[in-house]
Amino acid sequence: MSLKRKDLLGIQDLTVEEIQLVLETAESFKEVTGREIKKVPTLRGKTVVNLFFEPSTRTRTSFELAAKRLSADVINFAASASSVVKGETLLDTARNIEAMQADFIILRHPAAGAPNILARLLRASVINAGDGGHEHPTQALLDLYTLQEKKRAFKGLRLAIVGDIAHSRVARSNIYALVKMGAEVRVAGPPTMMPQEIERLGVTLFHNLDEALRGVDVIMMLRLQLERQGIALFPSIREYSRLYCLTPERMKLATPDVLVMHPGPINRGVEIAPEVADSVSSVILDQVTNGVAVRMAVLYLLSGAK
Amino acid sequence: MTVVIHKGRVIDPGRINGPADVLIQDGKIAQVGKGLAVPPGATALDATGKWVLPGFVDLHVHLREPGFEYKETIQTGTAAAVAGGFTSVCCMPNTSPVNDNQSVTEFILDKARAAGLAHVFPIGAITKGSEGKELAEFGELKDAGCVAVSDDGKPVMNGMVMRRALEYARAFNLTVVDHCECLHLSEGGGMHEGLVATELGLSGVPAAAEDVMVARNLALAELTGGRLHLAHLSTAGSVRMVREAKARGIKVTAEACPHHFLLTDEAVREFNTNAKMNPPLRSRKDVDAIKAGLKDGTIDAIATDHAPHADFEKLREFDYAPFGIVGLETAWGLALTLVDDGVLSVEQVVALLTVQPARTFGLAKGTLAVGADADVTIVDPDAQWVVEPEQFRSKGRNTPFAGWKLKGRVTTTIVGGRVVYP
């Protein structure tokens, strides 16, 4: 079994069947990650390059572990300042890496669409590990996996995604994924954080968090990007927090067995109260665990395509 | 030298539209009429099945020289112009150095003479260095040969500076051209703000970024009585405001580019950097408004905003790629689609490329009147062709129209009585 595509650039162009295939495959890899010896020879002799143009601990480590557990050789290319400052273009950097016979390039980049450009021009498989405000497909896949584990069916599942939708790749990938799978998706946040015509993606828009949370099965909180504050999307963290922080009181508006998700890293007390982050409803750490299995599945399924 | 163009259909808007011959003597139009005799020693050009038009006038090109010769030179840019039927081009001052003084203007004119292809009419800067602060020396620029002033690409954000520019320009009867964009509203944006930007996660430039500056400029034109020309209109709001301003007698003219009446923001999908230009490709509603503006005369000219870039500059992340596309070699075929679509008459399209832009900057061009410079473009209206950027004479290959099948091709271009294309 394999995905009949070279690259994983986003959820938007995946079919429901492809998403299901990733989730099923992740299931068997999760079993591997629970073993004493957490390693299979599936990708022995393959080279995986983590090409990260933005700081990331969670995603990079997760991909690195996934690749290592599949027995691939992993290189972490710290593309941070060096080559970029010297004026090397993304394409030249990637071509150099490809010349070292990389089979997979896992790209994290601040510009939306950067993986799409590389995918068009390189032979290697390109996996999008987050591109600007565009997509973060493996995050959405691991979120789906976690939901399936806890809630089974997507159809009829009610979710609220809360925060800065406009600048969030996690929100976009999850909206594409969840709407495809038949869930009912609400988005909530101040109007300054909602992109134009967001409702045409099949979601319902709320500016009042309490209304958005009423009767939901899942709450997906987005990280408030404090570094974005200069653009003045909201007057103060204090006011944001008062209006949009997920508190224990607000949790009561949702269904009793509501799940709380967050792509991390969390700002305790800003978008999520510490009691909520640490509560039994929180599956934040399950998301991290499942991330490795899902990324193993993605690497495996793309390797078969070539 | 004497040239006779015979057996063609001559379309000189407002003057003639039908079978006629054109006699050129000493670089001027000597006679236009039926069955002209070919004087002994004259060169005869057979225009059977073709249209004989005044040479096209483009109010908005970037020739990139001095400073960015790797993108385009005055030689390659004017070669592209005549290949596209343009015999006169007005070049924007955002070179390096900026064309804000006589020596840069003279340099451009020297290079244009040496190239010997299209007429080049430089546009001087509104402010020194196009920094938006102090006015450039309009008097000197005009004497050196500038036909208008603009800080194109760098909108004049300070309303007082714009007011002074419109006032001061009156002394020289110079038109002030503004690229209408509120830089605060457009900050960080690379495409139109709408559903496609939302889906792609790209920062958008709202139509309002253009509209607010159009509104400001129209108010200032009314206040000062200065001659205002608005570059590359892209929004329904702009068209509506210009229409209303013209009805009230404000001295304003406007241009639109083929990409703004043919493409929407949908062209950006797949992060196509050749669909990245400023102002951006907008919505269907905006495209329809631009067409309506061309039809009812709100928009005076079709201009290309020819903006060549090197391949490596466009072959990169959408956010980091420069704005702009080439346009000189595709404009005619693209403009003619408006006739096929029933938006404009042939005569209207020709007027939008000739007499109307010429009148906007007060150029003695765009006509086949007896005594006018013999700038003539001959086109085959039925010739089918495919846009192949590798064939361009421009150094720039950056076009979203690659692979488009177009009807109507320039076959011969004459400047000052001399065949310069092919």
Side-chain angles (χ1 to χ4, degrees), chain A residues 259-302:
Chain A
L259 296 182
V260 175
M261 307 180 91
H262 193 300
I266 62 175
N267 297 306
R268 285 177 183 266
V270 179
E271 74 265 2
I272 188 163
E275 314 82 294
V276 173
D278 301 328
S279 72
V280 289
S281 304
S282 165
V283 293
I284 296 174
L285 295 176
D286 301 81
Q287 290 173 273
V288 177
T289 308
N290 292 336
V292 178
V294 166
R295 290 177 175 121
M296 287 171 80
V298 167
L299 284 164
Y300 166 71
L301 290 170
L302 289 178

Side-chain angles (χ1 to χ4, degrees), chain B residues 18-30:
Chain B
D21 302 338
V22 177
L23 175 67
I24 297 168
Q25 271 171 338
D26 303 323
K28 304 278 181 192
I29 303 291

Side-chain angles (χ1 to χ4, degrees), chain B residues 350-381:
Chain B
V350 174
L352 282 158
L353 284 163
T354 58
V355 60
Q356 290 179 198
R359 198 181 292 143
T360 295
F361 286 175
L363 309 176
K365 294 287 177 190
T367 175
L368 297 177
V370 171
D373 291 341
D375 298 343
V376 185
T377 294
I378 305 174
V379 301
D380 181 343

Side-chain angles (χ1 to χ4, degrees), chain A residues 111-178:
Chain A
N116 302 61
I117 298 166
L118 284 198
R120 269 200 294 275
L121 300 163
L122 299 185
R123 290 184 310 277
S125 281
V126 175
I127 299 175
N128 180 5
D131 62 328
H134 181 218
E135 284 232 39
H136 192 349
T138 57
Q139 177 71 43
L141 289 167
L142 74 88
D143 288 344
L144 286 188
Y145 183 86
T146 307
L147 282 175
Q148 197 174 42
E149 218 175 34
K150 311 281 177 190
K151 293 282 187 189
R152 303 294 164 203
F154 293 110
K155 257 215 160 46
L157 200 64
R158 248 183 233 167
L159 298 97
I161 305 178
V162 183
D164 185 356
I165 307 292
H167 298 98
S168 174
R169 52 195 174 214
V170 173
R172 274 180 188 72
S173 285
N174 266 306
I175 289 169
Y176 295 139
L178 291 161

